[in-house]
Structure formats: structure tokens, C-alpha cells
Amino acid sequence: QVQVEEFGGGSVQPGGSRRLSCVVNGIPFSQYNMAWYRQKPGEQRAMVAQITEDGMTAYADSVKGRFTVSRDNAKGILYLQMTNLQLDDTAVYYCLIPLIIRWGHGTPVTVAQ
């Protein structure tokens, strides 16, 4: 079966950094586009970053210049490097395989003093 699991969530101070990982099994990972979404408290889930199978990336305006999405095809891992984190970045972050609409369970990130 296809398995998606996020790691790396936790608490971080404003201005700090955090790296999330998404471990994917059960598919030829290198052949699939991937995406990160987040859901802020009381809001709908929204796209944060996307990366194609050949490494082209796209970001939500709110995170451009601060977040970097990357992938390690050999290991089947998707990454989201988050820097200069703000209070508004507090959310549950989800990994998505868009083609098959398969989500991870999410990992919470709390940005606070």
C-alpha cells in the first residue's frame, strides 16, 4: 500500500527554522509530483509548496523566500525547510501525493515565544 508519514513538527520561536520530512513508500516516488499543505486553526487546508518529479518548485506567496521544498528521490523523502518562521505559520502541515490524492496524517508546527 501507499504510505505517507510526516516528521519534524514541533515548537519554534518566531524567526526560527524547522525542517519537515515526508517519508513515502509504495510508489515509484521519483515519478510523482509532491506537495506540502497546511491547515491553520479555524481555516481550510491550503497549499504551501509544490515540487514536480523533475524538481520544479512553486510556493504560496505567504512563504516565498522563507520556505524551500526539496526531494531526495533515492530515499523517497520530501522535505520542507522553513526559515524566518512567523506566528501565522502555526498550523498542521500535511504531505500530499496530488495525482492519487494521498495525504499524510499531518505534523503540527507551533510558532510562539
Side-chain angles (χ1 to χ4, degrees):
Q1 68 167 3
V2 179
Q3 191 165 4
V4 182
E5 188 170 10
E6 301 94 338
F7 299 92
S11 182
V12 60
Q13 294 185 340
S17 300
R18 197 88 177 182
R19 188 175 79 160
L20 306 182
S21 302
C22 172
V23 180
V24 179
N25 291 290
I27 61 166
F29 177 76
S30 64
Q31 300 177 23
Y32 284 76
N33 297 341
M34 298 294 299
W36 286 99
Y37 279 65
R38 68 185 180 187
Q39 188 163 19
K40 301 177 182 180
E43 299 184 12
Q44 295 183 330
R45 196 172 298 183
M47 190 273 292
V48 175
Q50 301 170 310
I51 185 167
T52 67
E53 60 186 70
D54 59 353
M56 296 182 63
T57 60
Y59 300 90
D61 287 342
S62 59
V63 307
K64 284 182 179 177
R66 299 189 298 120
F67 290 12
T68 301
V69 61
S70 61
R71 62 194 299 162
D72 186 332
N73 285 337
K75 297 180 179 179
I77 302 177
L78 177 73
Y79 298 101
L80 184 67
Q81 178 65 50
M82 306 182 294
T83 64
N84 192 23
L85 284 160
Q86 307 296 308
L87 298 180
D88 194 49
D89 294 317
T90 295
V92 178
Y93 285 74
Y94 296 88
C95 181
L96 172 69
I97 309 173
L99 182 62
I100 59 175
I101 317 177
R102 184 62 176 258
W103 299 89
H105 62 78
T107 186
V109 175
T110 300
V111 184
Q113 296 288 352

